[in-house]
Amino acid sequence: MTIKDTAEEWEVRATATPFVGNKTSVRTDDVVMPDGSVARRDYQVHPGSVAVVALDEQDRVLVLRQYRHPVRQKLWEIPAGLLDVPGENPLHAAQRELYEEAHVKAENWRVLTDVYTTPGGCSEAVRVFLARDLSEAEGERFEVEDEEADMELARVPVDELVRGVLGGDLHNNCLVVGVLSLLAARAGDGLDALRPAEAPWPARPFEA
């Protein structure tokens, strides 16, 4: 038996968009169920995101501490951000986020994993990259604003992050997925066996 997610789309009898925001919207679909009944499903329409596990030569991951208003907490996270335009190359977006949030560049990029963050209520797809061979970016630092103006930056050993995840102290989805995927890759075929940085991404197709 092959364990693999597959594309499928059930019939939608009616659809509406009751809310449109700056980056996302809320859609209401009337979806035909397998027994012929119709169920209403509300969900957030999201452009997609990228996130970066930036790993330095001392086996530390670059993390950021940022206020997240919906959960009323300051969370330790890995650099991440939205795909700004439809069809944007996710590698370029990840490189931009690493530069803007940490003023860091990387020479070695791989795809760690692709995930849907909350598929029961949001269409967000995230590609999590592994970035290695880090160095300070050139030029002036990106000017941050809003929550990012209060952001803290640190480099934390992988083992310490794993303890925080399993101990219930770290909760950010991309950090949890990224760090544990890093461990799984090391325990499997190794980091150099990961998919190339511009591997196809059916959830958010792009031009390489």
Side-chain angles (χ1 to χ4, degrees):
M1 180 179 179
T2 300
I3 304 296
K4 183 178 181 179
D5 297 336
T6 55
E8 185 167 339
E9 188 168 352
W10 293 0
E11 179 186 353
V12 175
R13 291 277 174 85
T15 187
T17 306
F19 171 79
V20 177
N22 184 33
K23 296 289 186 180
T24 67
S25 60
V26 173
R27 184 175 297 165
T28 298
D29 288 344
D30 291 340
V31 185
V32 179
M33 298 290 109
D35 64 359
S37 63
V38 177
R40 180 157 291 179
R41 294 290 178 260
D42 302 315
Y43 58 99
Q44 182 185 21
V45 179
H46 195 287
S49 306
V50 292
V52 184
V53 174
L55 184 68
D56 70 15
E57 294 180 354
Q58 299 178 49
D59 208 42
R60 301 175 303 177
V61 173
L62 194 156
V63 291
L64 312 160
R65 190 169 182 243
Q66 185 172 345
Y67 176 66
R68 293 301 187 182
H69 187 70
V71 296
R72 307 303 199 270
Q73 287 195 8
K74 273 192 169 182
L75 301 180
W76 284 103
E77 308 178 349
I78 56 177
L82 298 176
L83 295 171
D84 283 346
V85 294
E88 180 178 16
N89 187 314
L91 173 61
H92 299 167
Q95 291 169 332
R96 180 186 66 238
E97 293 301 328
L98 186 60
Y99 166 75
E100 291 182 356
E101 295 191 349
H103 202 66
V104 165
K105 63 180 181 179
E107 298 301 324
N108 189 323
W109 290 82
R110 296 277 181 167
V111 175
L112 260 179
T113 190
D114 301 320
V115 295
Y116 293 114
T117 53
T118 47
C122 180
S123 67
E124 182 180 18
V126 180
R127 169 154 281 189
V128 183
F129 289 91
L130 172 66
R132 292 176 289 169
D133 299 335
L134 309 182
S135 62
E136 189 79 3
E138 300 169 356
E140 296 183 3
R141 286 186 171 272
F142 183 78
E143 187 173 342
V144 297
E145 58 185 10
D146 300 328
E147 290 92 342
E148 291 183 353
D150 187 50
M151 205 160 50
E152 301 172 48
L153 178 65
R155 296 192 183 205
V156 180
V158 172
D159 290 346
E160 186 175 336
L161 292 175
V162 171
R163 286 193 295 271
V165 168
L166 299 181
D169 296 323
L170 299 172
H171 308 89
N172 175 263
N173 180 289
C174 291
L175 184 149
V176 171
V177 170
V179 168
L180 298 186
S181 294
L182 174 63
L183 284 193
R186 282 177 166 172
D189 295 329
L191 301 185
D192 290 331
L194 290 166
R195 286 175 290 163
E198 294 189 303
W201 189 16
R204 294 293 185 273
F206 64 94
E207 292 290 336

